[in-house]
Amino acid sequence: MRIEDIYAAAFGREHLATLLEQLVRSFDAQSGFLACTVPDGAAFQAQFGNDPAWLDLYATRYHQHDILFPRLMQAAEGQCVTAHAMLAEPAVRASVFYRDYLAPMGVVDNLAVNLFKQPGLSAHLALIRRGAVAPFADTDRDRLQALVPHLRRAVYVGSHLSRAIDQMAALRTLVAARGDAVLMLDAQHRVIDHDPAAADLLALRHGEPVRLPALARAIDLARTVGQPVAVELADGVATPLPVLVQVLPVIRDRFADLGDTGGIACIVHLTRLDRPSTIAIGAIAAFYRLTPTEARVLDDVVTHADLIGIGSRLGMARATARTHLHRIYEKTATGGQAALIALAHRFVTISGGDALNR
C-alpha cells in the first residue's frame, strides 16, 4: 500500500473507489466502504466489492437496527477495531441486524476506524471479510493503524474540496437563476471555470483562452476601463446575442498557481440584455401594503410602461385606473411613473431564466 495512493484519493470520489480497492486487496478483505453517518441515516461516499443493493438496504432499512454501530463508535477517533468477537456474542447473533443483514452475506469480520467523529456526524472506513476466511489478525489492525494519519488527512482534504465544489455549484445555480453566466479566468485569460450551460454557446473550453473574438475584446476593455461593456456576440451564432460584460478582479493567492492552470485572476459576469427582468410584484405589494387591485395596476405599469392603456388592459375605467395609480404613488412615496418603475427594479428576483440559454 503506497502512501501517495492515499493522498491521490483526496482529489476526487472516483479515486476513493480505487483507494478502497487497494486497501481491500492489501488486507485480504472482500469489500470495503467509506461512509458518513448522521443520527437519522448513513451515506456511502465510496465502496468497493459490495453489492450496491446491500448497501442501500443498510441506509434505508437496517441502519436503525445496527446493534454493532454504537459499540464501534465508542472507539476513539482514529482507533482501529475489529468486530469478530462482537459477531460471536449470542445477543448479536439473535439480532435482526445480524440475522437478516450480515449473516446472509457471510460477514466474518469488520476492520473499522472512525476517521472523524463530530457531534451529529462521523466518517468511518470499514474493510469486510466474508465467506470461509479467517477474521482479521492483530497485525492487520496494526497495519491499518499505521495508515490512519494519512487516511485522515486525505479525507479531510477531500472534504474541503467537496465543499468548494458544492459552493461553486451553488454560485452557478444562483447566477443561472438570474439568466446570467459567470466565467472565471486566470492571469493569462484562460478559462478556469464556467457555467456548463453556456459552454457550447460561448465556445468555452477549460484551460483555454476565450475563443469568441468579440467576447474576448469586451473582457479586455471592461477590465481596462473598470466599467461594464455592452457587446453583441455574433460569432458562430444564428441570432446575435447582446450581453453586458462586467469584469471583477480577484485578489490572488499565488500558491493556487501551482495547479494545472493558474489561480483565479478575475470573474467575468455576463448578463443578457434581450431579456426583461422579473420583478417581485408580490413582495412590493406586501411591503407597501398595496391592495390586490393596486398590485395588478403596478404589475401592468412595470410590464408595459404605458399609463394610457392600463384601464383597457385590466378591464377598468381609465379614471379608476388613475385613482389606483395615485394611491400607489402615495404608498410608495414615488412621484410618478419613472420613479415607480425605478423602485420596482430594486425588487428584481433571481428567477430570470437558465444561464445564457436561448
Side-chain angles (χ1 to χ4, degrees):
M1 187 75 218
R2 300 186 309 170
I3 299 300
E4 52 264 37
D5 293 332
I6 294 177
Y7 289 104
F11 298 97
R13 187 167 294 183
E14 66 279 9
H15 300 301
L16 278 175
T18 301
L19 172 63
L20 281 170
E21 179 179 1
Q22 293 171 332
L23 286 169
V24 165
R25 298 191 188 285
S26 177
F27 285 84
D28 294 324
Q30 280 66 54
S31 63
F33 60 78
L34 177 67
C36 287
T37 304
V38 294
D40 58 349
F44 295 92
Q45 302 302 306
Q47 69 91 17
F48 174 77
N50 300 283
D51 180 353
W54 186 65
L55 295 180
D56 288 341
L57 277 175
Y58 180 86
T60 58
R61 184 184 304 176
Y62 287 102
H63 174 261
Q64 59 183 325
H65 300 293
D66 190 346
I67 193 174
L68 300 178
F69 182 73
R71 295 171 64 178
L72 293 173
M73 283 297 295
Q74 291 176 2
E77 184 178 77
Q79 178 184 352
C80 297
V81 295
T82 59
H84 179 68
M86 286 183 278
L87 290 173
E89 295 175 5
V92 172
R93 291 281 177 123
S95 69
V96 171
F97 181 67
Y98 181 85
R99 185 181 66 248
D100 296 348
Y101 187 70
L102 297 182
M105 295 299 293
V107 174
V108 173
D109 202 356
N110 177 2
L111 176 57
V113 55
N114 292 308
L115 296 172
F116 291 96
K117 291 172 62 176
Q118 299 176 0
L121 175 67
S122 66
H124 55 279
L125 172 73
L127 302 177
I128 301 171
R129 283 186 177 175
R130 301 193 306 262
V133 296
F136 290 104
D138 291 345
T139 53
D140 296 317
R141 184 193 60 209
D142 294 342
R143 279 203 303 131
L144 183 60
Q145 191 68 60
L147 298 177
V148 166
H150 306 289
L151 291 166
R152 280 169 49 84
R153 293 188 190 105
V155 169
Y156 186 78
V157 171
S159 173
H160 277 257
L161 291 177
S162 295
R163 183 185 307 168
I165 292 171
D166 289 345
Q167 290 171 341
M168 188 67 69
L171 174 62
R172 289 198 193 104
T173 300
L174 174 62
V175 171
R178 291 186 59 91
D180 300 341
V182 162
L183 318 179
M184 297 187 181
L185 309 180
D186 66 10
Q188 285 71 46
H189 291 185
R190 294 174 299 187
V191 177
I192 295 179
D193 199 88
H194 57 75
D195 292 296
D200 292 337
L201 182 63
L202 301 178
L204 300 173
R205 299 293 182 270
H206 183 81
E208 297 182 7
V210 173
R211 294 184 172 189
L212 298 183
L215 179 58
R217 289 193 298 270
I219 291 173
D220 286 339
L221 180 58
R223 187 187 61 167
T224 301
V225 301
Q227 297 290 334
V229 172
V231 63
E232 190 172 70
L233 303 180
D235 305 292
V237 295
T239 304
L241 180 67
V243 297
L244 184 67
V245 180
Q246 301 177 74
V247 177
L248 307 174
V250 174
I251 298 176
R252 291 194 298 153
D253 182 350
R254 296 306 298 269
F255 188 70
D257 292 343
L258 296 176
D260 295 335
T261 59
I264 298 172
C266 66
I267 297 175
V268 179
H269 186 271
L270 307 176
T271 304
R272 286 189 64 157
L273 298 176
D274 59 344
R275 285 179 173 172
S277 301
T278 303
I279 307 299
I281 298 297
I284 300 175
F287 189 76
Y288 291 103
R289 293 182 170 83
L290 305 183
T291 67
T293 302
E294 290 167 352
R296 291 174 57 215
V297 171
L298 172 63
D299 190 16
D300 187 89
V301 171
V302 171
T303 302
H304 299 284
D306 169 31
L307 302 183
I308 297 177
I310 295 176
S312 60
R313 286 189 295 270
L314 297 183
M316 64 179 66
R318 181 179 297 181
T320 302
R322 285 192 172 276
T323 298
H324 286 302
L325 186 58
H326 283 285
R327 287 175 180 166
I328 295 171
Y329 291 157
E330 292 175 3
K331 291 182 178 181
T332 59
T334 55
Q337 178 189 8
L340 180 60
I341 291 178
L343 172 68
H345 277 82
R346 299 175 194 165
F347 288 78
V348 173
T349 72
I350 61 171
S351 57
D354 296 327
L356 296 183
N357 284 352
R358 296 186 177 281

